Amino acid sequence: MKLLFIVLDGLGDRPIDELGGKTPLEYANTPNMDKLASLGMNGLLHVIGPGITPGSDTAHLALFGVDPFEYYTGRGPFEAAGIGLEVKEGDVAFRTNFATINNNGIITDRRAGRIREGTEELVALFNGMEIDGIKILLKAGTEHRAALVLRGEGLSDKVSENDPHVEGKEPLEFKTLDNSYEAKKTAEVLTKFVLKAKSILSETDFNKKRKEDGLLQANYFLIRGAGQVPKLPNFEKEYCLETACIAGGGLYKGVGRMLGMHIIEDSRLTGGTNTDLKVKFDITYKALQDYDFVFTHIKGTDNFSHDGKPVEKAKFIEMVDKEMKRFLPDNIERDLVIMVTGDHSSPCSFKDHSADPVPIIVYSKDCRKDDVEKFGETYAARGNLGHLMGKDIMGIALNEMRLVHKFGS
Ligand code: ZN
Ligand code: ZN
């Protein structure tokens, strides 16, 4: 028996006047999710815990049964792993942006005009460089983004960022967040790296050409999200399931990769609202032949929430619903356990994440179905799964797959 786990990022929401007092999920016309809800078990999921607002990174760890309080050190390692930078336990990883700084040392654009092309050429100038015995690893991501990894002895993630998060200011100094020697050393290496990078970047033909063309130069690194790479449990070994991760966003691929999942890449999966949902679910369908467990992540719902667009969020949910039809029991031959949920709520009225629990469906052919008939926050509250914690759901899915070992004799 195989497991399909579909996560709609930021799925949960609150009632919205514009939608007649319904949430976007309740407002959306979702015959296929409703069918699954009516055949399955429903509940509300506190992904990390009641009253805790998850980030997407900590939320996904919890959904896979990994305690974020124990393992989460920062976003950097997941972003780095997500774009394919091989990270090792003990490395300190950061998210970085190419930015534009003027001759007076003022950040004029935090994203170097959302530069699209040529950043691979720029990162190659620094990749492998050593500063005070610490190796610099750099890899370009999408647009102005890149990941930075420091590798060597005596490093720490207890350092602040240099990103002022507004334009028209000087970059911040890297500060230590504790009194350790390691934090001091890390801050020094970062400071030296940023200064050195600034002078090298300004002299590149690439940036000279950009200047001539009236484009913003990519001549500075803003660095944030420090995290020491943790040793995470290997998901496949833990659960003995060959696992595929299908996601567009680097963060989700990073979480999957660090947990030992197989990452299925396709450039048409953008991790945004413009992703090709048909392709995503074609890949999902195919992956179910090759893997025991397929995790499919959909980001667009959260993006519409952050933009405060409930109607668009509902429309996007409808598009996802359409693609899910092929997994309904009448349309698929194999026995599938299906879980559908979100990684957290993102109410459009908050334009951010909230601690509200998210609805979850767990379906298997002979599960103890309840009398919930639609997928939605209000309906799910009446389901027989009640209130669950994120860390519990893998066990519940494995029970449906008949893979849970007896505790005791
Ligand atoms: Zn999220
Ligand atoms: Zn979000």
Side-chain angles (χ1 to χ4, degrees):
M1 209 180 304
K2 305 216 170 186
L3 172 61
L4 170 61
F5 185 21
I6 299 174
V7 175
L8 288 95
D9 209 290
L11 175 66
D13 213 298
R14 291 191 171 201
I16 288 165
D17 289 345
E18 201 184 339
L19 307 181
K22 291 184 172 177
T23 68
L25 175 59
E26 291 167 356
Y27 178 81
N29 179 29
T30 54
N32 300 308
M33 293 181 194
D34 293 347
K35 181 87 187 173
L36 269 184
S38 72
L39 295 172
M41 307 182 287
N42 296 267
L44 284 173
L45 189 63
H46 300 267
V47 176
I48 297 181
I52 299 173
T53 299
S56 287
D57 40 16
T58 50
H60 277 79
L61 289 176
L63 292 175
F64 295 125
V66 177
D67 182 357
F69 291 109
E70 187 179 341
Y71 290 99
Y72 182 74
T73 56
R75 185 155 173 159
F78 300 106
E79 290 282 352
I83 60 171
L85 218 170
E86 199 81 23
V87 292
K88 288 187 186 165
E89 193 185 345
D91 289 349
V92 179
F94 304 83
R95 308 170 73 188
T96 180
N97 277 7
F98 280 98
T100 309
I101 195 165
N102 69 14
N103 293 334
N104 302 323
I106 303 291
I107 300 290
T108 53
D109 193 310
R110 289 181 56 247
R111 300 178 182 90
R114 283 199 182 269
I115 182 167
R116 281 187 177 275
E117 273 141 34
T119 53
E120 288 87 1
E121 177 185 330
L122 296 180
V123 301
L125 300 169
F126 305 97
N127 201 16
M129 176 186 269
E130 282 205 12
I131 296 176
D132 295 348
I134 299 299
K135 195 165 186 186
I136 309 283
L137 301 169
L138 204 58
K139 192 161 170 49
T142 52
E143 296 183 331
H144 51 280
R145 302 177 194 93
L148 167 69
V149 166
L150 302 186
R151 179 171 293 165
E153 293 291 308
L155 293 168
S156 163
D157 58 13
K158 298 290 179 285
V159 287
S160 66
E161 57 186 313
N162 71 339
D163 186 349
H165 289 272
V166 284
E167 275 128 17
K169 286 202 170 173
E170 289 180 19
L172 306 173
E173 277 177 35
F174 293 104
K175 294 216 171 75
T176 56
L177 302 177
D178 64 15
N179 290 324
S180 65
Y181 160 81
E182 288 81 5
K184 191 163 168 274
K185 175 169 175 175
T186 308
E188 279 170 12
V189 170
L190 287 171
T191 305
K192 287 182 185 173
F193 168 68
V194 164
L195 278 179
K196 200 164 181 175
K198 184 180 159 201
S199 69
I200 293 175
L201 287 170
S202 307
E203 292 305 314
T204 54
D205 291 342
F206 178 88
N207 270 321
K208 285 179 184 160
K209 171 106 180 21
R210 274 182 77 85
K211 197 175 180 185
E212 277 167 29
D213 295 346
L215 297 169
L216 291 165
Q217 296 188 58
N219 60 2
Y220 202 78
F221 284 114
L222 291 175
I223 297 170
R224 65 190 194 283
Q228 191 134 27
V229 177
K231 180 158 177 55
L232 295 178
N234 186 295
F235 191 85
E236 294 195 342
K237 285 194 190 128
E238 197 95 338
Y239 297 110
C240 295
L241 298 173
E242 282 275 307
T243 303
C245 166
I246 300 165
L251 176 65
Y252 311 94
K253 288 191 269 190
V255 172
R257 188 168 278 136
M258 285 183 67
L259 290 172
M261 299 177 184
H262 299 254
I263 312 298
I264 303 184
E265 304 264 12
D266 189 300
S267 60
R268 291 167 291 181
L269 310 181
T270 62
T273 54
N274 62 346
T275 197
D276 192 327
L277 288 168
K278 179 167 185 309
V279 164
K280 181 164 277 183
F281 283 99
D282 285 348
I283 295 172
T284 300
Y285 193 87
K286 185 167 178 304
L288 282 167
Q289 291 163 11
D290 304 334
Y291 296 90
D292 307 311
F293 174 28
V294 177
F295 159 58
T296 298
H297 177 265
I298 294 150
K299 182 68 185 168
T301 27
D302 190 52
N303 294 1
F304 283 124
S305 292
H306 282 282
D307 292 343
K309 292 183 168 164
V311 175
E312 286 81 351
K313 184 175 177 180
K315 287 256 150 60
F316 188 80
I317 293 169
E318 289 180 356
M319 284 160 61
V320 174
D321 183 77
K322 224 174 109 202
E323 298 299 336
M324 280 172 57
K325 187 169 184 182
R326 62 184 104 180
F327 304 107
L328 294 185
D330 287 347
N331 304 331
I332 197 161
E333 276 178 22
R334 77 174 69 252
D335 269 351
L336 260 191
V337 175
I338 305 178
M339 285 201 296
V340 187
T341 189
D343 59 338
H344 47 77
S345 290
S346 286
C348 290
S349 56
F350 281 41
K351 296 189 177 176
D352 206 343
H353 306 183
S354 76
D356 302 308
V358 279
I360 180 169
I361 308 170
V362 181
Y363 161 82
S364 78
K365 198 171 73 179
D366 63 347
C367 69
R368 285 194 205 160
K369 67 189 221 61
D370 52 32
D371 55 11
V372 173
E373 294 196 331
K374 280 164 139 334
F375 190 35
E377 293 84 338
T378 319
Y379 319 121
R382 298 196 296 267
N384 63 2
L385 290 175
H387 285 249
L388 297 171
M389 298 274 280
K391 68 177 173 58
D392 298 327
I393 62 171
M394 275 311 299
I396 289 171
L398 292 171
N399 181 49
E400 293 306 319
M401 296 171 85
R402 295 163 173 65
L403 290 176
V404 177
H405 299 295
K406 198 183 292 174
F407 176 46
S409 65

